Amino acid sequence: MKYTGAQILMKVLQDEGVDLIFGYPGAAVIDIYDELARTDIRHITVRHEQAAVHAADGYARASGKVGVCLVTSGPGATNTVTGIASAYMDSIPVVVISGQVPTHLIGNDAFQEVDIVGITRPCTKHNYLIKQTEDLARIVREAFYIARSGRPGPVLIDIPKDVAKKTVSYGVQKEVKIRSYNPTYNPHMKQLQKVIHLIKSAERPVIFAGGGVILSKSSRELTEFARKTRIPVTTSLMGLGAFPGTDPLWLGMIGMHGTYRANKSTSGCDLLIAIGTRFDDRVTGKTDAFASQANIVHIDIDPTSIRKNIGVTIPIVGDCKITLNHLNRLVDEADLGDIPKKREKWLRQIEEWKSTQQLAYEQGNVIKPQYVIEKLYELTRGEAIITTEVGQSQMWTAQYYHFDKPDHFITSGGLGCMGFGLPAAIGAQIACPDKLVVDVAGDGSIQMNIQEMATAVEYGLAVKIVILNNGYLGMVRQWQELFYEKRYAYTKIGHMPDFIKLAEAYGAAGLRATKPEEVISVLSEGLSIPKPVMMEFLVDPEECVYPMVPAGAPISEMLLV
Amino acid sequence: MIEEKSILSILVDNEPGVLSRIVGLFSGRGYNIESLCVAETIDPHVSRITIATMANLPVVEQIKKQLNKLVNVIKVHELTGTKYIERELALIKVKAKPEHRAEILRIVDIFRCKVVDVGLDHYTIEITGDEDKLSAILNLLKPIGIKEVAKTGIIAVSREPKNY
């Protein structure tokens, strides 16, 4: 049978299980859109292409499926770059399909032409320019395979207009096989035996889990492993929810805004078992001082993550789930005897750190942002899917919303991308229509993709937005306060829109709390309105996120409240 | 840590944009390229890229892993520390005043290379060899006056019977 490129694209997308696309039409993709409208694939028209990618990112994380975007050439394609870079840093499976000018015009500086494959080469897992319709089916299938396998990541496919229009024959497709791409899933068993030996001899062990545990859906295995060996657990920002935030073995988040006990115990441990993490600089602080007395075991599916920033005693390349399953079996076989009991001294020490330096704030006459997050946690019983923007609001959420389950905290961790939370919430809400989805934002970052309010209203997505309004770009202001002698260069937001009127103008609801006693009522009312709601909280303008490790300092050296 | 020279032999898909991925990886991550050679292998779908880089050991390890991570990279083989043959070709245009011509030809003879072009006031010498040989002849010719040098960069193959 003969089909056009656009028709083949639809067939392959449906074969890959795609039932939803976030996109924005344009001249170079009219043919593709024309076919898309004939299928039963749902299309969400966003208001900006960056938001399409963030939404696909949020959708991918909440659903476990590959997120898909469709955008036009030129500006449509360049607008996706920030979203792609964020998905790349956080290893999120997203496929971005961009239109391109017809092949005979490529390189001519044609209208709406841009070399998007060249631009996105360093921020995609892989990308393709399809030059012949005959290659289209194979490439699209490879793109999905690459996006979701191994360490996941975004893949971009650039489709020139004539390639989408041309008619070619299309038949049964072979299984995808790429000779130069074979991720390692199974760990080396000898290495795992060495880990068991280290677990037996360690007196002060710590588990440090990252986003890889969530991506490989192995939080249950991790929890079993930690409880069985009685080893306390910390996670990176991306790992929040991989281990229950209410478990007695939970240390809290590690790193620049990590808890006192997480940073202290990581600095003082004699065995660090790192799982699915890449030792980002916001985690390690000064690398020479990081877990400097410890044997370090590092499990990751991406070999480049291992020994990139931190020296390792036992490197293990493999999938977190498979590796943790093996480790759990080996722990059972090894019969640790009373070894877990020997941890009690270490756990008592951690308990002491916990009781001397807790996360704390004092709720006075002005609303404290931490208080809002705590009340949000209580009112949602920790069950909501939380997305965030970036900065102080993100960190307070990480500290005060005690994530018990994976896939409930959706944040731009690696790229730290303002404007992420609202579109990501839209994606998550579509993936989980029955869940409560809340975007925690600052007054700065909410304005970076605020146009997506229209998308939320149009598609009846009842996302809730909590704006912690402190009138500043708060995290930068905090750095200026602490390290630049309070020279607040351009971080005061001079003019703020009326968020209530703005929400209403979009057709959403808006609520505001100006006093501490209004916080609970605004939250409970806002969370119960069955449409998009903006809840604005006028919070203490100069509240800081503590603890804080100054950039480049050892994580044991924290600025405390 | 000491930076040392490493020679990496990389087999890649012979497709447009692949070289750009490799070079972009080096520039984006701040790795150094001393020389780079690329050409098709006996299999028209595969190209071999030979890169000489200066880096300390952990960085070389990281470079190899990052290269392997690229979807179009089929195989990365570090030749440094193994048995291998290394060659580079240079074309050296040297000033050839009448009083120097005999000296130049003597040097050419000693190095077993050849004069491939002669002008009114210059000779062009073609020489093949490893890095030491090329720098030795350049040092000898420098006092006579080198007008231009073009070098190919290093190519290398393993001496082991196994194919890479």
Side-chain angles (χ1 to χ4, degrees), chain A residues 81-367:
Chain A
V81 172
T82 305
I84 293 173
S86 181
Y88 184 63
M89 292 284 266
D90 293 343
S91 313
I92 306 303
V94 171
V95 169
V96 177
I97 300 164
S98 56
Q100 181 56 280
V101 301
T103 43
H104 71 273
L105 286 178
I106 289 179
N108 276 17
D109 299 327
F111 177 66
Q112 293 195 327
E113 180 191 357
V114 77
D115 173 16
I116 195 63
V117 168
I119 290 171
T120 57
R121 220 168 257 146
C123 62
T124 48
K125 187 170 170 188
H126 196 54
N127 61 16
Y128 295 93
L129 167 64
I130 307 184
K131 289 187 172 162
Q132 306 182 75
T133 312
E134 289 78 1
D135 296 334
L136 192 142
R138 174 186 57 83
I139 287 177
V140 176
R141 296 172 78 237
E142 280 184 11
F144 276 86
Y145 172 65
I146 290 171
R148 64 162 78 97
S149 58
R151 176 179 174 178
V155 178
L156 177 133
I157 311 166
D158 203 21
I159 307 182
K161 193 171 165 74
D162 55 326
V163 170
K165 278 174 98 97
K166 194 183 154 191
T167 305
V168 299
S169 58
Y170 171 78
V172 180
Q173 297 292 303
K174 280 185 285 184
E175 198 188 332
V176 175
K177 203 165 180 343
I178 309 169
R179 76 166 151 179
S180 50
Y181 174 76
N182 295 296
T184 307
Y185 291 98
N186 292 313
H188 214 286
M189 293 309 286
K190 270 191 186 158
Q191 298 289 82
L192 298 188
Q193 284 294 355
K194 290 186 201 160
V195 179
I196 300 296
H197 282 298
L198 286 179
I199 290 174
K200 282 182 177 170
S201 59
E203 287 175 6
R204 303 185 309 280
V206 167
I207 293 170
F208 164 37
V213 174
I214 289 174
L215 288 165
S216 67
K217 307 208 174 299
S218 47
S219 54
R220 217 178 38 187
E221 289 78 1
L222 172 73
T223 309
E224 182 191 338
F225 177 63
R227 286 182 181 158
K228 210 147 52 183
T229 52
R230 278 193 71 68
I231 303 180
V233 181
T234 181
T235 73
S236 64
L237 181 75
M238 293 303 292
L240 287 176
F243 187 78
T246 46
D247 194 283
L249 288 169
W250 173 238
L251 292 170
M253 183 174 75
I254 195 176
M256 183 172 272
H257 296 295
T259 62
Y260 184 76
R261 64 186 192 282
N263 286 348
K264 276 286 186 191
S265 49
T266 307
S267 300
C269 69
D270 64 353
L271 172 62
L272 186 71
I273 304 175
I275 311 171
T277 173
R278 59 189 174 85
F279 289 104
D280 177 84
D281 58 283
R282 288 298 197 258
V283 159
T284 62
K286 188 177 183 213
T287 49
D288 296 344
F290 183 81
S292 53
Q293 309 152 38
N295 285 310
I296 299 180
V297 174
H298 190 181
I299 301 163
D300 202 279
I301 197 158
D302 179 3
T304 68
S305 292
I306 293 172
R307 294 197 169 122
K308 183 174 66 179
N309 301 333
I310 293 287
V312 168
T313 322
I314 304 182
I316 298 169
V317 177
D319 174 72
C320 292
K321 195 182 186 87
I322 296 173
T323 308
L324 279 165
N325 271 326
H326 281 305
L327 280 174
N328 280 328
R329 183 175 49 78
L330 290 172
V331 166
D332 289 341
E333 287 169 12
D335 184 18
L336 299 185
D338 61 349
I339 288 169
K341 278 187 204 147
K342 289 186 190 159
R343 310 265 193 258
E344 295 313 316
K345 192 177 157 203
W346 175 231
L347 293 173
R348 267 201 307 280
Q349 166 71 72
I350 290 168
E351 201 50 45
E352 198 184 306
W353 283 326
K354 186 178 177 179
S355 54
T356 49
Q357 287 295 340
Q358 289 201 357
L359 288 174
Y361 63 92
E362 263 178 51
Q363 180 54 64
N365 295 328
V366 196
I367 302 174

